[in-house]
Amino acid sequence: MPDGSFVVAPSEEEALEKARSLSGNSQLQKEDLRAEEDCLDTWFSSWLWPMSVFGDITDSDNKDLNYYYPTNTLVTAPDILFFWVARMIIAGYRYRGERPFKDVYLTGIVRDALGRKMSKTLGNSPNPLDLIDNYGADGVRVGLMMATSAGNDLLYEEALLEQGRNFCNKIWNSFRLIKTWQVDAQHSSPEESRIAIDWFAHRLSEAVAEIDDLMEKYRISEAVTVAYKLFRDDFSAFYLEAIKPAYGAPIDGVTLEKTILFFEDLLRILHPFMPFITEELWHELRERPEGSSIMYSSYPQKIELNASLLKTVAIAREVITQVRNIRTMHNIPRQELLDIYVQEIEHSEADSLIMKLARASVQRAKSAPEGVSSASFIVGTVSYAVPIEAFIDKDAVRQKLEADLKHQEGFLMGVRKKLSNEKFVNNAPQDVVAIERKKEADALSRIETIKKQLSTL
C-alpha cells in the first residue's frame, strides 16, 4: 500500500477490500496497490518442500520432521531433474546435513500420437474423469502401467485402457464364478484339485519373488505384467478350470476355502496397482471386522519352491494346449475322449489334469497302434501321438506334414552347415556350440516324429 503496509489476498479485488479496511481509506484504488516483487519463485520455494511441510526445518527436536525425513524415494519426471531434484538435495545438505531421499525414480512422459507432451496449452490431453467413466479408475491405472517400461515415454492410445478395463472384468468374473459354487461338506477333493492347489501355492510364491525383485529394481511395469499373467493365465485360465466342478455340481469345502485364500492373496498382490476393485472384492469375499481394509493385510509370504512340481505342471499344460490345438485343427468335438500315447513322460502326477482339461487319457506306449493315423507333437524333446483316424482328412494332413518335414530338413541343413565350419566350432564359446548341437538333436527328433506320422498315413 502507499504507506508501506501490506495485505495478503488471493485476488486483486479482495486485496483492495482488505487495504481499504486496514488503512481506513475508502478511496484507495487498484492502481494504488503494488504486488510484492521480492518473493520466492516456484522452483526456489519447492526445493524446500521435503522439509518445510513439517514446520521449522532447523529445529533438531522437530519430531515429525525427524520421523519422515529423509524419505526413501522421490518420483518425478526427468525434465525437472535440475530445477527441482538437484535443488532439494542441495537444500537438504544445507539445512539438515543429509540428503532428502535415497533414490530418484524418473518416470516417462505421456505423449500423444504425434509424440508431443500432453498439455493444456496444446489441448491434446484427454479429460481423466472421462477416461475413468469409460474404463474405470483401475482400468486406466493398470492399462497405462503395463504399457510404460521403466523411464521410457509412453505414446498414449485408448486401446491401452481397454486392456486395463478387460482385466478388471476378468477379475470380477472370476470372483462371480467362485461365489456361485455350492459346497458339499461330504464331498472329498478330486485328484486334479489337490494337484492344482499344491501347484498354485508354489506358482504364486514364485510370482511373488519375481515381483519383489522387480519392484526393488523399480521395474514397475514388468512387475504389473507378472501380476497380470499370474491372475489371467495361471489362476483364471488354468487353476479355476482345473478345480471347477461339473455344471450344477457342488464343490468340496477344502478346495473352495483354498481357492478363496488364493484369491485373497492375488488381491493383496494387485492392490498397489489396482486399489479400488481389490478393496471392493476383499470385502465381498467374506465378512470383515468393522474398519478393516486390504491395506492393513499382510502381503503373501514366500515358501520354498517345489521346482519339480512346477516343471511337471508346466509340461502338462503344454500337452493340454497341444491336444486342444489338435481338436481345433481337425474339428474334433470336446466330448470325444482322446488317447495320448507317450513313452517317456515327466508329468505322471498331473495326468488327472490332462484328463480333465484336455479330455484325453494318457497311455504309456512307444507309439500309437500300427496303421492308425495319428497327430503328433513334441513337448521339450518328448514325442506324443494322438490317434485321430475317425476325424481327419488324410490328404490335408499329409500335405501339412510334408511341408513341416521340408521346413525341418532345411533348418537341420543350416545348423549342420554351421557345425561343419571348423572356425566356428573352434572359436565360438562352448555354450554357443552346445546350443547349436542341441538344435541339431531336436531337429533330428522332430524329423523322425514327422516321418513316423507320414508312415501311418
Side-chain angles (χ1 to χ4, degrees):
M1 292 191 295
D3 62 0
S5 58
F6 66 89
V7 294
V8 179
S11 68
E12 290 184 354
E13 290 75 14
E14 291 179 75
L16 179 59
E17 184 179 342
K18 284 187 175 183
R20 286 173 176 173
S21 174
L22 182 64
S23 66
N25 183 0
S26 61
Q27 302 303 314
L28 281 178
Q29 301 298 319
K30 289 183 182 179
E31 293 73 18
D32 298 323
L33 305 181
R34 177 177 59 84
E36 177 59 68
E37 297 173 356
D38 185 16
C39 62
L40 292 173
D41 65 31
T42 300
W43 296 118
F44 191 91
S45 61
S46 63
W47 75 332
L48 298 174
W49 171 79
M51 299 169 284
S52 60
V53 293
F54 299 109
D56 186 353
I57 63 177
T58 62
D59 181 5
S60 59
D61 295 326
N62 187 325
K63 293 182 179 180
D64 287 339
L65 184 56
N66 291 338
Y67 180 81
Y68 289 105
Y69 186 95
T71 185
N72 289 324
T73 307
L74 173 73
V75 180
T76 186
D79 52 347
I80 56 173
L81 191 58
F82 171 73
F83 295 106
W84 190 24
V85 179
R87 295 184 184 193
M88 282 193 284
I89 295 172
I90 293 170
Y93 282 110
R94 170 65 179 83
Y95 296 109
R96 297 292 297 181
E98 58 185 333
R99 64 191 180 188
F101 30 74
K102 184 178 70 173
D103 297 324
V104 178
Y105 179 77
L106 298 178
T107 65
I109 296 173
V110 181
R111 300 184 181 275
D112 64 16
L114 300 178
R116 300 174 302 177
K117 182 177 178 180
M118 288 186 170
S119 69
K120 292 182 179 179
T121 304
L122 292 176
N124 61 345
S125 179
N127 186 332
L129 295 179
D130 291 339
L131 297 181
I132 290 173
D133 285 341
N134 292 329
Y135 302 101
D138 285 333
V140 173
R141 285 168 60 97
V142 78
L144 291 177
M145 277 192 287
M146 284 195 294
T148 310
S149 56
N152 293 326
D153 291 351
L154 168 66
L155 292 180
Y156 171 80
E157 56 178 324
E158 288 204 19
L160 302 174
L161 311 187
E162 290 178 8
Q163 184 181 19
R165 179 179 62 188
N166 292 342
F167 184 42
C168 291
N169 290 339
K170 172 67 71 174
I171 296 172
W172 184 259
N173 288 334
S174 296
F175 162 76
R176 290 176 60 195
L177 174 66
I178 293 171
K179 296 299 283 186
T180 63
W181 291 337
Q182 300 298 314
V183 180
D184 180 359
Q186 306 302 318
H187 190 65
S188 60
S189 303
E191 177 67 17
E192 61 270 17
S193 293
R194 290 196 293 271
I195 294 172
I197 289 169
D198 193 15
W199 165 78
F200 191 75
H202 292 274
R203 175 66 195 106
L204 187 142
S205 182
E206 183 181 44
V208 167
E210 189 175 354
I211 291 170
D212 285 350
D213 179 63
L214 291 169
M215 291 298 284
E216 286 178 4
K217 298 173 181 175
Y218 296 105
R219 317 282 307 181
I220 298 174
S221 64
E222 294 175 39
V224 177
T225 301
V226 171
Y228 171 80
K229 291 181 177 178
L230 174 67
F231 192 99
R232 186 196 65 176
D233 300 338
D234 297 323
F235 181 73
S236 182
F238 183 74
Y239 172 81
L240 290 184
E241 290 297 314
I243 59 118
K244 183 170 66 175
Y247 181 74
I251 190 171
D252 66 280
V254 172
T255 299
L256 182 59
E257 179 58 25
K258 286 287 187 181
T259 301
I260 291 175
L261 290 173
F262 286 147
F263 201 94
E264 289 177 329
D265 281 343
L266 290 166
L267 292 179
R268 293 186 185 102
I269 292 170
L270 291 168
H271 182 69
F273 315 118
M274 309 173 72
F276 300 106
I277 189 172
T278 51
E279 182 73 54
E280 179 73 17
L281 294 183
W282 173 260
H283 292 280
E284 291 288 340
L285 270 176
R286 62 170 99 231
E287 289 291 327
R288 307 286 178 187
E290 183 70 25
S292 66
S293 168
I294 190 174
M295 291 188 292
Y296 306 137
S297 64
S298 300
Y299 199 71
Q301 297 297 306
K302 288 171 283 195
I303 61 175
E304 185 176 349
L305 297 182
N306 184 337
S308 175
L309 177 62
L310 290 169
K311 180 181 179 182
T312 294
V313 176
I315 294 172
R317 291 178 71 177
E318 180 60 25
V319 171
I320 292 166
T321 299
Q322 294 289 350
V323 173
R324 287 176 172 176
N325 290 341
I326 290 172
R327 286 186 182 275
T328 301
M329 184 183 302
H330 299 288
N331 296 316
I332 302 174
R334 172 71 179 83
Q335 64 269 23
E336 294 287 346
L337 178 64
L338 299 177
D339 287 322
I340 305 174
Y341 287 85
V342 57
Q343 184 177 23
E344 304 173 36
I345 60 167
E346 297 183 61
H347 54 68
S348 57
E349 311 96 293
D351 281 358
S352 58
L353 290 173
I354 296 174
M355 177 67 184
K356 179 174 183 177
L357 299 179
R359 183 84 176 124
S361 177
V362 180
Q363 308 295 329
R364 307 306 194 269
K366 284 187 176 181
S367 60
E370 288 290 331
V372 175
S373 297
S374 301
S376 299
F377 58 88
I378 296 175
V379 176
T381 57
V382 178
S383 298
Y384 296 79
V386 179
I388 52 173
E389 179 79 28
F391 311 103
I392 65 168
D393 179 344
K394 291 187 178 183
D395 290 335
V397 173
R398 182 180 290 106
Q399 290 177 13
K400 183 178 182 303
L401 289 172
E402 288 173 347
D404 194 13
L405 178 62
K406 184 177 180 181
H407 169 75
Q408 293 295 338
E409 288 176 338
F411 176 78
L412 177 62
M413 186 181 299
V415 173
R416 283 182 165 172
K417 184 177 181 180
K418 185 180 290 187
L419 289 173
S420 66
N421 185 333
E422 293 185 7
K423 187 176 180 180
F424 167 76
V425 174
N426 294 332
N427 296 331
Q430 290 186 355
D431 56 339
V432 174
V433 176
I435 289 173
E436 295 302 317
R437 296 198 186 283
K438 185 176 185 308
K439 287 180 181 178
E440 180 185 33
D442 290 348
L444 285 170
S445 176
R446 291 189 181 97
I447 288 171
E448 181 182 0
T449 298
I450 294 170
K451 286 182 175 179
K452 286 181 178 178
Q453 289 178 265
L454 284 170
S455 68
T456 63
L457 290 174

